[in-house]
Amino acid sequence: MPRDKVLVAQGGGPTAVINQSLVGVVLEARKGKNAGCVYGAFHGVRGIVDEDFTNLSRESETNLEKVAATPSSALGSTRDKPDEKYCREILASLQAHGIDRFFYIGGNDSSDTLRILSQQARKARYPLRCVHVPKTIDNDLVLNDHTPGYPSAARFVAGAFTGVSLDIRAIPGVYVGVVMGRHAGFLTAAAALARHHTEDGPHLIYLPERSFNQRAFLRDVKQVYGRLGHCVIAVSEGIHDGRGVPIATKLVGKVERDAHGNIQLSGTGALGDMLAKTIRDNLGIARVRADTLGYLQRSFLGCVSDVDQREARRAGVKAVRFAAQGQNGSVTIRRRAGKTYRAEYKLVGLAAVGGKTRTMPNAYIATSGTDVTQAFRDYLRPLLGSSLPTHANLGNRRVKKILD
Amino acid sequence: MPRDKVLVAQGGGPTAVINQSLVGVVLEARKGKNAGCVYGAFHGVRGIVDEDFTNLSRESETNLEKVAATPSSALGSTRDKPDEKYCREILASLQAHGIDRFFYIGGNDSSDTLRILSQQARKARYPLRCVHVPKTIDNDLVLNDHTPGYPSAARFVAGAFTGVSLDIRAIPGVYVGVVMGRHAGFLTAAAALARHHTEDGPHLIYLPERSFNQRAFLRDVKQVYGRLGHCVIAVSEGIHDGRGVPIATKLVGKVERDAHGNIQLSGTGALGDMLAKTIRDNLGIARVRADTLGYLQRSFLGCVSDVDQREARRAGVKAVRFAAQGQNGSVTIRRRAGKTYRAEYKLVGLAAVGGKTRTMPNAYIATSGTDVTQAFRDYLRPLLGSSLPTHANLGNRRVKKILD
């Protein structure tokens, strides 16, 4: 009986735990009685077409464990979104190398690639098992309670907004923090977990699930600033007006578009700067600061959720086991009913996940449209993991004035 | 004998450990036989003039320890830089409340305030002890080996550049990360500690200690990009041309100036965005991304150097002891000679530190002007503290191509 020949690759934006899934696949695939070679493709599907493979069979377990704890995609990644022709080239490469199991760790585009590829393999009567391992800091895969990568990015966002909220309280002003997430507000919403006392920031949260209205925005900022003397705002990079036009496009004259026609939202401070200018110009507040959290959200070394690490690893392991049972599909993470948080892993069809986008359910968004609900906080809290750093305030024991 | 009446306040930009110094002062001041009330002023010197005091004598040790571990300035801060008149108002408030020991945790402006104040107290024959406790993420206080706050911020910057370097290697392009530091490049230089292997980023580091030349910059970026296919750049917000004009001013049409006439460098992504545009326009590289690390550098919850925590605490404790010996001055941190890192604390005159700025010594800057030396790495490494997260790469066991 010929041995299994396994290929693993990573697609889309890196995360803090995508290498956990990689190592989960590699170690599990090396276990079985029938285990053959385990290849890794550099830079996702691009590396398959280019036959740019590395042999992971001889990678030591010690080094693999170190790689697992390393952020970003150790094999490199790609933004390529293969069409039928591209997938035929992938298949030709897989066939040439006798690869019969392909695990692709990525978002909904990666899942869709596997859908096309598995159809082509079936037509060509080539015995290929394709299993998609979910990852995305955007948390926007359907049929998943959440996706690996999101909890760690959410932990970073919560830590960032806890810090800047304390900072802006110390030297009062208005602060705008722009968070990743083109269509789904889950990551921006994580800023709410920075709030422990009623007056803590962020005080306003703008999600792409709601239309952004500049007048309402200025009214909200004015109200908070008037009440507290400072205001911390979390804004999704994907906020858009009532007709769906991204605010980033409206504010910025010349925007960069990627291969899919998406405008560049990350890697620029333009949206934050323009919102800061809008506040400064319209409300006459002198100290207005904007930060764009940028690439640190997904790659910062030293901020990771242990729950996320375990689940990302588990998703990789499960993918190999599902393939061993002869199944194609996408691994999904569900939450078991019950008081204690517990995840379970189910395989669904590739077409069910591929190319679809999940956004924040209404139950997670406050009626004000500028905050999240307790239901969202309860949803996110267990995902952030253990050993969360805490913070505290001094008591207020005001001394009676003498001179005044 | 009347009891000591102590006041503590925090000035300038917050840090991750400035509350350690605060708690060091409070706990030590509450210890002595002669200990009286310990007051805290809200928002630095502004709170003294406004008699905005809180009584810290009854703050529980448990809560103080939690506050110590909290980033940013728990008492609030101020950017006010008092002149003679302002200092007379401070003195009047201190006299009215019978305060005879004042500890001001801050940078060189705070030290200068104490210099003026202690002169006025002497003239007025008011028995006031003033001790300055150093802090600044810029690391720019003279006579100090380093200053509390810098090691934790440096740890953040190193973690950020480790992550983005792995990220930009995974999806190749050019990345510009803008780091705080108007005149001193210590914090930007910390990005070099992200580099473990020769090809790791950051590949280029631009410091305010060297003149920034756009042609040389573009040549350097082109060279690295040509060699590696990607390029990670750490840039100080304070970079300037040969005549000392900040690049931020040259690139941005309208800039904001603070009360001291300094242009706003932080809280805007403008410098990074303009450098990215310069690279894109001149080198024809499509994927160029810029992040401005912003306020996260000094306040992020969950990234702190334990060495920094201990030293910041110690600096507060030492300040109280120096005052008890009847001394005015500024606490400085020195490094003991010897192989093992060890700090010691010495008091120097207020005039020796106040208003002066220390920049990176030449021995820490590579002759290329775009990197640091091993001497700098050796200097910084012990300050970053213990339990530094590590990262690892996969081995390169290229598989022979078949189709190609």
Side-chain angles (χ1 to χ4, degrees), chain A residues 367-388:
Chain A
T367 45
S368 66
T370 58
D371 200 359
V372 300
T373 59
Q374 187 58 41
F376 174 75
R377 299 171 68 93
D378 294 342
Y379 159 80
L380 181 54
R381 183 57 195 84
L383 307 182
L384 297 182
S386 62
S387 309
L388 269 185

Side-chain angles (χ1 to χ4, degrees), chain A residues 73-100:
Chain A
S73 312
L75 285 170
S77 191
T78 180
R79 289 284 180 201
D80 283 5
K81 194 180 166 179
D83 55 12
E84 291 278 345
K85 182 176 169 294
Y86 196 124
C87 284
R88 279 193 294 275
E89 291 180 48
I90 294 172
L91 189 59
S93 175
L94 297 179
Q95 285 183 294
H97 288 268
I99 289 158
D100 56 3

Side-chain angles (χ1 to χ4, degrees), chain A residues 12-14 22 39 42-43 50-56 58-60 63-64 66-67 69-79 89 92-93 96-97 155-157 159-160 162-164 166-172 175 254 256 264 266-270 273 276-277 280-281 286-296 298-303 389-404, chain B residues 12-14 22 39 42-43 50-56 58-60 63-64 66-67 69-79 89 92-93 96-97 155-157 159-160 162-164 166-172 175 254 256 264 266-270 273 276-277 280-281 286-296 298-303 389-404:
Chain A
L22 170 69
Y39 282 5
F42 288 112
H43 297 291
D50 294 344
E51 292 180 88
D52 198 5
F53 299 131
T54 183
N55 192 337
L56 298 171
R58 283 144 56 205
E59 196 75 38
S60 77
N63 192 52
L64 283 173
K66 285 182 190 164
V67 168
T70 299
S72 186
S73 312
L75 285 170
S77 191
T78 180
R79 289 284 180 201
E89 291 180 48
S93 175
H97 288 268
R155 188 174 167 126
F156 183 89
V157 169
T162 305
V164 294
L166 293 164
D167 196 306
I168 293 296
R169 194 179 63 185
I171 306 183
Y175 178 90
K254 201 185 157 195
E256 187 187 333
Q264 186 203 332
S266 298
T268 161
D273 285 350
K277 184 173 153 48
R280 214 179 281 127
D281 292 352
R287 189 169 191 268
V288 186
R289 299 292 182 258
D291 280 335
T292 301
L293 272 55
Y295 290 89
L296 277 53
R298 67 189 196 192
S299 297
F300 185 79
L301 179 72
C303 182
T390 56
H391 67 279
N393 297 324
L394 289 171
N396 191 349
R397 298 181 176 83
R398 279 299 207 281
V399 174
K400 205 168 168 257
K401 295 189 184 196
I402 295 174
L403 295 172
D404 204 28
Chain B
L22 170 69
Y39 283 3
F42 289 110
H43 297 291
D50 294 344
E51 292 178 87
D52 199 6
F53 298 131
T54 183
N55 192 338
L56 298 171
R58 282 144 58 205
E59 196 75 37
S60 77
N63 193 52
L64 282 174
K66 287 183 190 165
V67 168
T70 299
S72 186
S73 313
L75 286 170
S77 192
T78 180
R79 290 283 180 201
E89 292 179 46
S93 176
H97 288 269
R155 188 173 167 127
F156 183 89
V157 168
T162 306
V164 294
L166 292 164
D167 196 304
I168 293 296
R169 194 179 63 185
I171 306 183
Y175 179 89
K254 202 184 156 194
E256 188 186 331
Q264 186 203 332
S266 298
T268 161
D273 286 352
K277 185 173 153 47
R280 214 178 280 125
D281 292 352
R287 189 167 191 270
V288 186
R289 301 290 182 258
D291 280 336
T292 302
L293 272 56
Y295 290 90
L296 278 54
R298 67 189 196 193
S299 297
F300 185 79
L301 179 72
C303 182
T390 56
H391 67 280
N393 297 323
L394 289 170
N396 191 351
R397 298 179 176 85
R398 280 299 208 282
V399 174
K400 207 171 166 256
K401 296 189 182 196
I402 295 174
L403 296 171
D404 202 28

